[in-house]
Amino acid sequence: MATFQEQRAILSVSDKTGLLDLAKGLDSLGVKLIASGGTSKAIRNANLPVQDVSDVTGAAEMLGGRVKTLHPAVHGGILARNIPSDLSDLNTHKIAPFSIVVCNLYPFSKKISSEPAPTLEEAIEEIDIGGVTLLRAAAKNFSRVTILSDPQDYEEFLEAYRENKGTLPDSLRQKYALKAFSQTAEYDALISEYFRRQFALSPVSSSPQLLELRYGANPHQKPASAYVTEGTLPFKVLSGSPGYINLLDALNSYALVTELANAFDPPLPAAASFKHVSPAGAAIATQLTPEEVAVFDADGVDLTPLASAYARARGADRMSSFGDFIALSHECDIATAKLIGREVSDGIIAPGYSSEALKVLSAKKGGKYCVLQMDEKYVPNSVETRTVYGVNLRQGRNDVKIDKNLFSNLVSQNKTLPDNAITDLIVATISLKYTQSNSVCYAYRGGIIGLGAGQQSRIHCTRLAGSKADAWWFRHHPRVLNFKFKKGVKRADKATATDLFVTGEIFKTPEGDEERKAWEVFFAEGQIPEPLKKEEMEAWSKQLKGKVSLASDAFFPFADNVWRAGRSGVGYIAAPGGSVQDEAVVKAADDLNITFAMTNLRLFTH
C-alpha cells in the first residue's frame, strides 16, 4: 500500500559533479535511491545500493535512450499530492511516491557551441525531454517534493535534511523549485534560439523570426541579432544590411512618426531623422515657404506633403542629421526619395515604397543603402524587457496618448494657446517621448527646431536646445540665404560652413588661423561673409519672439529654464509640475507673457 512515509529519491543527471557524495548522504539518511542509465551505473560502481528506473517502470530504456523516465510509475510518484484521492490513485496503480528528485539536463549549450559545429541531427539528440519533465513535475509539486537541479545545492540540502530529520523548510523547497523552473525556461529559450537560426532565419525563411547582425553597438560585441519569439519580424529588409544601432534608430523612429501622424485627425504624414537613439529632427506635413525650401535644400523637387515633412525634419539640425536613419509614417513617394537621395544617410524605414522610390533608394550607396519596410499592422507587446549587467528589467510600454487635451491646464496669466501652438506642442512632446532624457524640445511650424537630449542638468538641455533653435532661425537670415559658395562645394560642407557662421564659432578663431582658413575656402572669391552685427542679430531674433513652442520631459527645477527659453522666441511652454519651484517657474513665464500648460505627465526615456 502506497504511503508518503517512505523516502524515495529518483536521480537522473548529466553533470555528475557531487553525485556520489549526495548519494552517500541520502543513503546514510535512509533514502531509497532509484536512478537511470549512467547515473545508476556511477552510483552502483561506488558500491552504493541503487535500483534502476526500469525496475520501477517495468519497461527497459528504449529508442537509444530517448525514453527512460517517461512513465506513470515515475511521474505519478512525483506529481501525487498528499490528499486522499491522489493516494487512492497511487494504490490503484501500485505506484510508490517520490519525495526527492535529482536531475540536471543534457548540455545542449555546450553541444551547439562546439567546434566543428554539430549537425542538426547531432544537436537534436542533445535536447533533454525526460529531464525537463522531471524538473517541471517536481517543481510543480514543491509543497511535497524537493527538486535538486544544481550540484551546488547538494551540500546545503543534505545539511538541512539532516537537521530537520528527513524534511525541509518550505522556503528551501520553494527556492529549489524556482531554480528548476528558471533552468527549464532558459533551456527552452536556448533550444528555440537554435531552431530559430535553423528554420526562421531572415532572409532565408518565408516566416523569419531572426536577423543576424554583423555585430552589436561596437565591432567587438559579437554575436548580435534581432529576433522575436512569436510571429515573424515586423520588418523586411528590401536593400542593404541593417546594423544593431540602425535597428535601434529605425524602430524608435518609426514608433515616433506613427504616433505623431496619428495624433491628428485625419492622420498627417510625418517624418523623423534619428541619430544614436534620439531624434535630430521630426515634423509633420506643413507647406514650406520659399525661404524654407532654400534653407532645407529642398529645391528642384515637386514637394508632396510627405516630402515636405521629411525636408522639415532633416532641416531641423542638418549637422546632427548627417548619417542619420530616416522614418516615414506613410508610403515613400518619388519626391521624398529624391530628397533622401541627396543626403548622407544610413537608411530608411517606412510602411511601403512606390516602385520609383524603391528604385532610387536601392541604388543609394552603391546598392548598400538600408531600406526597411515595416508591417503597418504590427502592434508591439505591452510589456518591455531589457537586460542591464545581467539583470532583467521589465516595464509597461509607454503608450500614453498625447493630443491637444494634454495642454488644457493653463496655469499662466496668459491663456492664449492657438491651434498652431498646440500642433507644435504635440510635435515637441511626442518627440521627447522618444528622446534620451533629460530632454527639452523647441518646435515651430510643425517641426523640431532645437532639441537638447541626454543631459544630466535640465538647464543644459534648455540651453543646448535653445542654441540649436537659434542656429535654425539664423539659417533663415537673408545674408545666409545669399551665401556664395565656391563651385563644387558639397552639401555637407555647405551645412558645416553655415553652422560655423550662424553659431559664431568660426569668429572665435583668429584671422589667419588654420581653422578660419579652412572655413574660408568654401566660399567664392571675395564672398567670405562678415559676422552678423549685434543689432542685426537682435532685430532678426525679435521676428521669432513669442512664436516658438517648448516642451520638457520633466518639470523645470528653476526659473532659469524659462528665462533661457524666452531668449529663443518661446511663447508657449508645456511641462509637468512637481518642483518646489513651480510657483517661481510660472511667475517667470508670466513676466515674459509666456503661456504655460502644466501637463503633469513625465516622459523620461532611458
Side-chain angles (χ1 to χ4, degrees), residues 483-514:
F483 277 172
K484 304 298 181 185
F485 288 104
K486 190 178 294 182
K487 188 176 181 180
V489 173
K490 296 179 180 179
R491 296 166 67 85
D493 291 332
K494 289 180 181 180
T496 298
T498 301
D499 184 75
L500 287 168
F501 177 87
V502 298
T503 60
E505 286 295 318
I506 196 60
F507 301 113
K508 295 176 183 178
T509 62
E511 288 191 30
D513 183 85
E514 287 302 314

PDB file of all heavy atoms in Angstrom, residues 483-514:
ATOM      1  N   PHE A 483      24.505  83.368 -49.315  1.00  0.00           N
ATOM      2  CA  PHE A 483      25.910  82.926 -49.336  1.00  0.00           C
ATOM      3  C   PHE A 483      26.300  82.498 -50.760  1.00  0.00           C
ATOM      4  O   PHE A 483      25.530  81.830 -51.459  1.00  0.00           O
ATOM      5  CB  PHE A 483      26.118  81.735 -48.403  1.00  0.00           C
ATOM      6  CG  PHE A 483      26.314  82.089 -46.953  1.00  0.00           C
ATOM      7  CD1 PHE A 483      26.345  81.096 -45.983  1.00  0.00           C
ATOM      8  CD2 PHE A 483      26.477  83.402 -46.556  1.00  0.00           C
ATOM      9  CE1 PHE A 483      26.538  81.398 -44.651  1.00  0.00           C
ATOM     10  CE2 PHE A 483      26.672  83.724 -45.218  1.00  0.00           C
ATOM     11  CZ  PHE A 483      26.705  82.719 -44.256  1.00  0.00           C
ATOM     12  N   LYS A 484      27.532  82.849 -51.151  1.00  0.00           N
ATOM     13  CA  LYS A 484      28.062  82.454 -52.446  1.00  0.00           C
ATOM     14  C   LYS A 484      29.182  81.433 -52.217  1.00  0.00           C
ATOM     15  O   LYS A 484      30.310  81.797 -51.850  1.00  0.00           O
ATOM     16  CB  LYS A 484      28.622  83.662 -53.200  1.00  0.00           C
ATOM     17  CG  LYS A 484      27.625  84.798 -53.397  1.00  0.00           C
ATOM     18  CD  LYS A 484      26.415  84.364 -54.223  1.00  0.00           C
ATOM     19  CE  LYS A 484      25.469  85.544 -54.417  1.00  0.00           C
ATOM     20  NZ  LYS A 484      24.220  85.137 -55.124  1.00  0.00           N
ATOM     21  N   PHE A 485      28.830  80.181 -52.366  1.00  0.00           N
ATOM     22  CA  PHE A 485      29.817  79.125 -52.160  1.00  0.00           C
ATOM     23  C   PHE A 485      30.617  78.896 -53.433  1.00  0.00           C
ATOM     24  O   PHE A 485      30.136  79.134 -54.557  1.00  0.00           O
ATOM     25  CB  PHE A 485      29.133  77.821 -51.751  1.00  0.00           C
ATOM     26  CG  PHE A 485      28.584  77.855 -50.355  1.00  0.00           C
ATOM     27  CD1 PHE A 485      27.224  78.000 -50.130  1.00  0.00           C
ATOM     28  CD2 PHE A 485      29.421  77.735 -49.249  1.00  0.00           C
ATOM     29  CE1 PHE A 485      26.708  78.035 -48.847  1.00  0.00           C
ATOM     30  CE2 PHE A 485      28.915  77.770 -47.967  1.00  0.00           C
ATOM     31  CZ  PHE A 485      27.556  77.917 -47.756  1.00  0.00           C
ATOM     32  N   LYS A 486      31.818  78.403 -53.248  1.00  0.00           N
ATOM     33  CA  LYS A 486      32.670  78.056 -54.372  1.00  0.00           C
ATOM     34  C   LYS A 486      32.029  76.892 -55.135  1.00  0.00           C
ATOM     35  O   LYS A 486      31.401  76.012 -54.530  1.00  0.00           O
ATOM     36  CB  LYS A 486      34.061  77.661 -53.864  1.00  0.00           C
ATOM     37  CG  LYS A 486      35.112  77.505 -54.927  1.00  0.00           C
ATOM     38  CD  LYS A 486      36.448  77.154 -54.295  1.00  0.00           C
ATOM     39  CE  LYS A 486      36.988  78.298 -53.447  1.00  0.00           C
ATOM     40  NZ  LYS A 486      38.314  77.978 -52.863  1.00  0.00           N
ATOM     41  N   LYS A 487      32.170  76.863 -56.422  1.00  0.00           N
ATOM     42  CA  LYS A 487      31.590  75.803 -57.226  1.00  0.00           C
ATOM     43  C   LYS A 487      32.180  74.452 -56.826  1.00  0.00           C
ATOM     44  O   LYS A 487      33.389  74.325 -56.627  1.00  0.00           O
ATOM     45  CB  LYS A 487      31.857  76.070 -58.705  1.00  0.00           C
ATOM     46  CG  LYS A 487      31.126  75.116 -59.638  1.00  0.00           C
ATOM     47  CD  LYS A 487      31.343  75.495 -61.102  1.00  0.00           C
ATOM     48  CE  LYS A 487      30.588  74.554 -62.022  1.00  0.00           C
ATOM     49  NZ  LYS A 487      30.788  74.910 -63.459  1.00  0.00           N
ATOM     50  N   GLY A 488      31.301  73.449 -56.674  1.00  0.00           N
ATOM     51  CA  GLY A 488      31.756  72.108 -56.344  1.00  0.00           C
ATOM     52  C   GLY A 488      31.748  71.787 -54.853  1.00  0.00           C
ATOM     53  O   GLY A 488      32.053  70.652 -54.466  1.00  0.00           O
ATOM     54  N   VAL A 489      31.436  72.765 -54.028  1.00  0.00           N
ATOM     55  CA  VAL A 489      31.380  72.511 -52.582  1.00  0.00           C
ATOM     56  C   VAL A 489      30.202  71.569 -52.285  1.00  0.00           C
ATOM     57  O   VAL A 489      29.086  71.785 -52.755  1.00  0.00           O
ATOM     58  CB  VAL A 489      31.223  73.829 -51.789  1.00  0.00           C
ATOM     59  CG1 VAL A 489      31.004  73.529 -50.297  1.00  0.00           C
ATOM     60  CG2 VAL A 489      32.453  74.692 -51.975  1.00  0.00           C
ATOM     61  N   LYS A 490      30.461  70.539 -51.514  1.00  0.00           N
ATOM     62  CA  LYS A 490      29.435  69.533 -51.222  1.00  0.00           C
ATOM     63  C   LYS A 490      28.395  70.057 -50.236  1.00  0.00           C
ATOM     64  O   LYS A 490      28.659  70.987 -49.466  1.00  0.00           O
ATOM     65  CB  LYS A 490      30.093  68.275 -50.656  1.00  0.00           C
ATOM     66  CG  LYS A 490      31.016  67.574 -51.645  1.00  0.00           C
ATOM     67  CD  LYS A 490      31.659  66.344 -51.005  1.00  0.00           C
ATOM     68  CE  LYS A 490      32.588  65.642 -51.983  1.00  0.00           C
ATOM     69  NZ  LYS A 490      33.241  64.458 -51.374  1.00  0.00           N
ATOM     70  N   ARG A 491      27.230  69.394 -50.265  1.00  0.00           N
ATOM     71  CA  ARG A 491      26.128  69.808 -49.396  1.00  0.00           C
ATOM     72  C   ARG A 491      26.547  69.765 -47.924  1.00  0.00           C
ATOM     73  O   ARG A 491      26.226  70.675 -47.146  1.00  0.00           O
ATOM     74  CB  ARG A 491      24.923  68.896 -49.616  1.00  0.00           C
ATOM     75  CG  ARG A 491      24.329  68.981 -51.002  1.00  0.00           C
ATOM     76  CD  ARG A 491      23.363  67.830 -51.267  1.00  0.00           C
ATOM     77  NE  ARG A 491      22.181  67.899 -50.437  1.00  0.00           N
ATOM     78  CZ  ARG A 491      21.095  68.606 -50.725  1.00  0.00           C
ATOM     79  NH1 ARG A 491      21.069  69.346 -51.830  1.00  0.00           N
ATOM     80  NH2 ARG A 491      20.055  68.603 -49.945  1.00  0.00           N
ATOM     81  N   ALA A 492      27.238  68.695 -47.537  1.00  0.00           N
ATOM     82  CA  ALA A 492      27.643  68.565 -46.141  1.00  0.00           C
ATOM     83  C   ALA A 492      28.607  69.680 -45.748  1.00  0.00           C
ATOM     84  O   ALA A 492      28.545  70.201 -44.629  1.00  0.00           O
ATOM     85  CB  ALA A 492      28.294  67.202 -45.905  1.00  0.00           C
ATOM     86  N   ASP A 493      29.483  70.069 -46.662  1.00  0.00           N
ATOM     87  CA  ASP A 493      30.427  71.158 -46.374  1.00  0.00           C
ATOM     88  C   ASP A 493      29.698  72.499 -46.277  1.00  0.00           C
ATOM     89  O   ASP A 493      30.064  73.358 -45.463  1.00  0.00           O
ATOM     90  CB  ASP A 493      31.511  71.220 -47.446  1.00  0.00           C
ATOM     91  CG  ASP A 493      32.454  70.023 -47.376  1.00  0.00           C
ATOM     92  OD1 ASP A 493      32.628  69.475 -46.275  1.00  0.00           O
ATOM     93  OD2 ASP A 493      33.005  69.638 -48.433  1.00  0.00           O
ATOM     94  N   LYS A 494      28.687  72.679 -47.098  1.00  0.00           N
ATOM     95  CA  LYS A 494      27.879  73.906 -47.005  1.00  0.00           C
ATOM     96  C   LYS A 494      27.183  73.982 -45.649  1.00  0.00           C
ATOM     97  O   LYS A 494      27.123  75.048 -45.029  1.00  0.00           O
ATOM     98  CB  LYS A 494      26.838  73.943 -48.125  1.00  0.00           C
ATOM     99  CG  LYS A 494      27.400  74.173 -49.516  1.00  0.00           C
ATOM    100  CD  LYS A 494      26.274  74.184 -50.552  1.00  0.00           C
ATOM    101  CE  LYS A 494      26.829  74.392 -51.956  1.00  0.00           C
ATOM    102  NZ  LYS A 494      25.746  74.396 -52.975  1.00  0.00           N
ATOM    103  N   ALA A 495      26.664  72.830 -45.202  1.00  0.00           N
ATOM    104  CA  ALA A 495      25.996  72.793 -43.901  1.00  0.00           C
ATOM    105  C   ALA A 495      26.971  73.116 -42.778  1.00  0.00           C
ATOM    106  O   ALA A 495      26.641  73.855 -41.843  1.00  0.00           O
ATOM    107  CB  ALA A 495      25.365  71.415 -43.676  1.00  0.00           C
ATOM    108  N   THR A 496      28.178  72.577 -42.874  1.00  0.00           N
ATOM    109  CA  THR A 496      29.196  72.838 -41.854  1.00  0.00           C
ATOM    110  C   THR A 496      29.589  74.304 -41.842  1.00  0.00           C
ATOM    111  O   THR A 496      29.683  74.941 -40.779  1.00  0.00           O
ATOM    112  CB  THR A 496      30.443  71.969 -42.111  1.00  0.00           C
ATOM    113  OG1 THR A 496      30.076  70.583 -42.027  1.00  0.00           O
ATOM    114  CG2 THR A 496      31.526  72.252 -41.085  1.00  0.00           C
ATOM    115  N   ALA A 497      29.825  74.866 -43.023  1.00  0.00           N
ATOM    116  CA  ALA A 497      30.224  76.272 -43.129  1.00  0.00           C
ATOM    117  C   ALA A 497      29.125  77.181 -42.581  1.00  0.00           C
ATOM    118  O   ALA A 497      29.411  78.169 -41.871  1.00  0.00           O
ATOM    119  CB  ALA A 497      30.537  76.620 -44.582  1.00  0.00           C
ATOM    120  N   THR A 498      27.887  76.853 -42.906  1.00  0.00           N
ATOM    121  CA  THR A 498      26.762  77.656 -42.436  1.00  0.00           C
ATOM    122  C   THR A 498      26.630  77.565 -40.918  1.00  0.00           C
ATOM    123  O   THR A 498      26.395  78.567 -40.236  1.00  0.00           O
ATOM    124  CB  THR A 498      25.457  77.191 -43.111  1.00  0.00           C
ATOM    125  OG1 THR A 498      25.586  77.315 -44.518  1.00  0.00           O
ATOM    126  CG2 THR A 498      24.274  78.012 -42.633  1.00  0.00           C
ATOM    127  N   ASP A 499      26.792  76.369 -40.385  1.00  0.00           N
ATOM    128  CA  ASP A 499      26.677  76.173 -38.942  1.00  0.00           C
ATOM    129  C   ASP A 499      27.744  76.968 -38.198  1.00  0.00           C
ATOM    130  O   ASP A 499      27.468  77.599 -37.167  1.00  0.00           O
ATOM    131  CB  ASP A 499      26.799  74.685 -38.615  1.00  0.00           C
ATOM    132  CG  ASP A 499      26.581  74.394 -37.143  1.00  0.00           C
ATOM    133  OD1 ASP A 499      25.407  74.426 -36.705  1.00  0.00           O
ATOM    134  OD2 ASP A 499      27.564  74.133 -36.424  1.00  0.00           O
ATOM    135  N   LEU A 500      28.963  76.955 -38.700  1.00  0.00           N
ATOM    136  CA  LEU A 500      30.040  77.714 -38.066  1.00  0.00           C
ATOM    137  C   LEU A 500      29.737  79.211 -38.073  1.00  0.00           C
ATOM    138  O   LEU A 500      30.089  79.936 -37.127  1.00  0.00           O
ATOM    139  CB  LEU A 500      31.364  77.441 -38.789  1.00  0.00           C
ATOM    140  CG  LEU A 500      31.985  76.059 -38.540  1.00  0.00           C
ATOM    141  CD1 LEU A 500      33.126  75.794 -39.515  1.00  0.00           C
ATOM    142  CD2 LEU A 500      32.469  75.943 -37.099  1.00  0.00           C
ATOM    143  N   PHE A 501      29.059  79.662 -39.122  1.00  0.00           N
ATOM    144  CA  PHE A 501      28.717  81.077 -39.222  1.00  0.00           C
ATOM    145  C   PHE A 501      27.588  81.444 -38.264  1.00  0.00           C
ATOM    146  O   PHE A 501      27.701  82.385 -37.475  1.00  0.00           O
ATOM    147  CB  PHE A 501      28.323  81.425 -40.661  1.00  0.00           C
ATOM    148  CG  PHE A 501      27.891  82.851 -40.832  1.00  0.00           C
ATOM    149  CD1 PHE A 501      28.820  83.847 -41.079  1.00  0.00           C
ATOM    150  CD2 PHE A 501      26.544  83.200 -40.743  1.00  0.00           C
ATOM    151  CE1 PHE A 501      28.421  85.180 -41.213  1.00  0.00           C
ATOM    152  CE2 PHE A 501      26.133  84.520 -40.877  1.00  0.00           C
ATOM    153  CZ  PHE A 501      27.069  85.515 -41.113  1.00  0.00           C
ATOM    154  N   VAL A 502      26.461  80.712 -38.330  1.00  0.00           N
ATOM    155  CA  VAL A 502      25.283  81.115 -37.546  1.00  0.00           C
ATOM    156  C   VAL A 502      25.501  80.923 -36.052  1.00  0.00           C
ATOM    157  O   VAL A 502      24.875  81.624 -35.240  1.00  0.00           O
ATOM    158  CB  VAL A 502      24.015  80.364 -38.016  1.00  0.00           C
ATOM    159  CG1 VAL A 502      23.699  80.700 -39.466  1.00  0.00           C
ATOM    160  CG2 VAL A 502      24.141  78.865 -37.806  1.00  0.00           C
ATOM    161  N   THR A 503      26.369  80.008 -35.656  1.00  0.00           N
ATOM    162  CA  THR A 503      26.661  79.829 -34.229  1.00  0.00           C
ATOM    163  C   THR A 503      27.744  80.792 -33.755  1.00  0.00           C
ATOM    164  O   THR A 503      27.958  80.935 -32.541  1.00  0.00           O
ATOM    165  CB  THR A 503      27.129  78.385 -33.940  1.00  0.00           C
ATOM    166  OG1 THR A 503      28.314  78.110 -34.697  1.00  0.00           O
ATOM    167  CG2 THR A 503      26.044  77.385 -34.276  1.00  0.00           C
ATOM    168  N   GLY A 504      28.432  81.431 -34.702  1.00  0.00           N
ATOM    169  CA  GLY A 504      29.502  82.352 -34.357  1.00  0.00           C
ATOM    170  C   GLY A 504      30.801  81.675 -33.976  1.00  0.00           C
ATOM    171  O   GLY A 504      31.781  82.348 -33.613  1.00  0.00           O
ATOM    172  N   GLU A 505      30.829  80.339 -34.062  1.00  0.00           N
ATOM    173  CA  GLU A 505      32.016  79.598 -33.624  1.00  0.00           C
ATOM    174  C   GLU A 505      33.252  79.974 -34.425  1.00  0.00           C
ATOM    175  O   GLU A 505      34.358  80.075 -33.872  1.00  0.00           O
ATOM    176  CB  GLU A 505      31.760  78.088 -33.735  1.00  0.00           C
ATOM    177  CG  GLU A 505      30.846  77.511 -32.669  1.00  0.00           C
ATOM    178  CD  GLU A 505      31.451  77.615 -31.275  1.00  0.00           C
ATOM    179  OE1 GLU A 505      32.669  77.352 -31.130  1.00  0.00           O
ATOM    180  OE2 GLU A 505      30.728  77.986 -30.349  1.00  0.00           O
ATOM    181  N   ILE A 506      33.083  80.182 -35.724  1.00  0.00           N
ATOM    182  CA  ILE A 506      34.262  80.428 -36.559  1.00  0.00           C
ATOM    183  C   ILE A 506      34.918  81.763 -36.237  1.00  0.00           C
ATOM    184  O   ILE A 506      36.122  81.952 -36.416  1.00  0.00           O
ATOM    185  CB  ILE A 506      33.894  80.352 -38.069  1.00  0.00           C
ATOM    186  CG1 ILE A 506      35.164  80.199 -38.905  1.00  0.00           C
ATOM    187  CG2 ILE A 506      33.059  81.549 -38.492  1.00  0.00           C
ATOM    188  CD1 ILE A 506      35.970  78.957 -38.580  1.00  0.00           C
ATOM    189  N   PHE A 507      34.133  82.712 -35.704  1.00  0.00           N
ATOM    190  CA  PHE A 507      34.675  84.040 -35.429  1.00  0.00           C
ATOM    191  C   PHE A 507      35.372  84.110 -34.063  1.00  0.00           C
ATOM    192  O   PHE A 507      35.866  85.174 -33.676  1.00  0.00           O
ATOM    193  CB  PHE A 507      33.567  85.083 -35.552  1.00  0.00           C
ATOM    194  CG  PHE A 507      32.931  85.102 -36.912  1.00  0.00           C
ATOM    195  CD1 PHE A 507      31.610  84.715 -37.084  1.00  0.00           C
ATOM    196  CD2 PHE A 507      33.668  85.465 -38.035  1.00  0.00           C
ATOM    197  CE1 PHE A 507      31.030  84.710 -38.338  1.00  0.00           C
ATOM    198  CE2 PHE A 507      33.098  85.454 -39.306  1.00  0.00           C
ATOM    199  CZ  PHE A 507      31.772  85.071 -39.456  1.00  0.00           C
ATOM    200  N   LYS A 508      35.375  82.966 -33.369  1.00  0.00           N
ATOM    201  CA  LYS A 508      36.140  82.888 -32.119  1.00  0.00           C
ATOM    202  C   LYS A 508      37.604  82.561 -32.400  1.00  0.00           C
ATOM    203  O   LYS A 508      38.442  82.600 -31.494  1.00  0.00           O
ATOM    204  CB  LYS A 508      35.532  81.824 -31.199  1.00  0.00           C
ATOM    205  CG  LYS A 508      34.123  82.161 -30.730  1.00  0.00           C
ATOM    206  CD  LYS A 508      33.539  81.019 -29.890  1.00  0.00           C
ATOM    207  CE  LYS A 508      32.099  81.325 -29.492  1.00  0.00           C
ATOM    208  NZ  LYS A 508      31.493  80.206 -28.708  1.00  0.00           N
ATOM    209  N   THR A 509      37.887  82.184 -33.656  1.00  0.00           N
ATOM    210  CA  THR A 509      39.274  81.870 -34.046  1.00  0.00           C
ATOM    211  C   THR A 509      39.906  83.104 -34.690  1.00  0.00           C
ATOM    212  O   THR A 509      39.224  83.877 -35.379  1.00  0.00           O
ATOM    213  CB  THR A 509      39.300  80.704 -35.055  1.00  0.00           C
ATOM    214  OG1 THR A 509      38.609  81.091 -36.238  1.00  0.00           O
ATOM    215  CG2 THR A 509      38.635  79.466 -34.476  1.00  0.00           C
ATOM    216  N   PRO A 510      41.186  83.310 -34.490  1.00  0.00           N
ATOM    217  CA  PRO A 510      41.850  84.497 -35.062  1.00  0.00           C
ATOM    218  C   PRO A 510      41.887  84.451 -36.595  1.00  0.00           C
ATOM    219  O   PRO A 510      41.936  83.370 -37.190  1.00  0.00           O
ATOM    220  CB  PRO A 510      43.278  84.425 -34.486  1.00  0.00           C
ATOM    221  CG  PRO A 510      43.210  83.454 -33.351  1.00  0.00           C
ATOM    222  CD  PRO A 510      42.103  82.493 -33.683  1.00  0.00           C
ATOM    223  N   GLU A 511      41.853  85.602 -37.207  1.00  0.00           N
ATOM    224  CA  GLU A 511      42.016  85.669 -38.659  1.00  0.00           C
ATOM    225  C   GLU A 511      43.394  85.124 -39.023  1.00  0.00           C
ATOM    226  O   GLU A 511      44.385  85.393 -38.350  1.00  0.00           O
ATOM    227  CB  GLU A 511      41.874  87.105 -39.147  1.00  0.00           C
ATOM    228  CG  GLU A 511      40.454  87.618 -39.096  1.00  0.00           C
ATOM    229  CD  GLU A 511      40.301  88.950 -39.828  1.00  0.00           C
ATOM    230  OE1 GLU A 511      41.059  89.171 -40.801  1.00  0.00           O
ATOM    231  OE2 GLU A 511      39.442  89.743 -39.429  1.00  0.00           O
ATOM    232  N   GLY A 512      43.446  84.338 -40.077  1.00  0.00           N
ATOM    233  CA  GLY A 512      44.691  83.724 -40.495  1.00  0.00           C
ATOM    234  C   GLY A 512      44.948  82.380 -39.835  1.00  0.00           C
ATOM    235  O   GLY A 512      45.856  81.650 -40.238  1.00  0.00           O
ATOM    236  N   ASP A 513      44.140  82.045 -38.848  1.00  0.00           N
ATOM    237  CA  ASP A 513      44.257  80.737 -38.186  1.00  0.00           C
ATOM    238  C   ASP A 513      43.879  79.634 -39.180  1.00  0.00           C
ATOM    239  O   ASP A 513      43.071  79.840 -40.092  1.00  0.00           O
ATOM    240  CB  ASP A 513      43.333  80.708 -36.968  1.00  0.00           C
ATOM    241  CG  ASP A 513      43.440  79.426 -36.180  1.00  0.00           C
ATOM    242  OD1 ASP A 513      44.318  79.328 -35.325  1.00  0.00           O
ATOM    243  OD2 ASP A 513      42.601  78.519 -36.433  1.00  0.00           O
ATOM    244  N   GLU A 514      44.474  78.446 -39.011  1.00  0.00           N
ATOM    245  CA  GLU A 514      44.222  77.343 -39.939  1.00  0.00           C
ATOM    246  C   GLU A 514      42.741  76.981 -40.006  1.00  0.00           C
ATOM    247  O   GLU A 514      42.201  76.667 -41.063  1.00  0.00           O
ATOM    248  CB  GLU A 514      45.048  76.121 -39.539  1.00  0.00           C
ATOM    249  CG  GLU A 514      46.535  76.247 -39.824  1.00  0.00           C
ATOM    250  CD  GLU A 514      46.823  76.515 -41.291  1.00  0.00           C
ATOM    251  OE1 GLU A 514      46.234  75.831 -42.146  1.00  0.00           O
ATOM    252  OE2 GLU A 514      47.616  77.430 -41.590  1.00  0.00           O
TER     253      GLU A 514
END
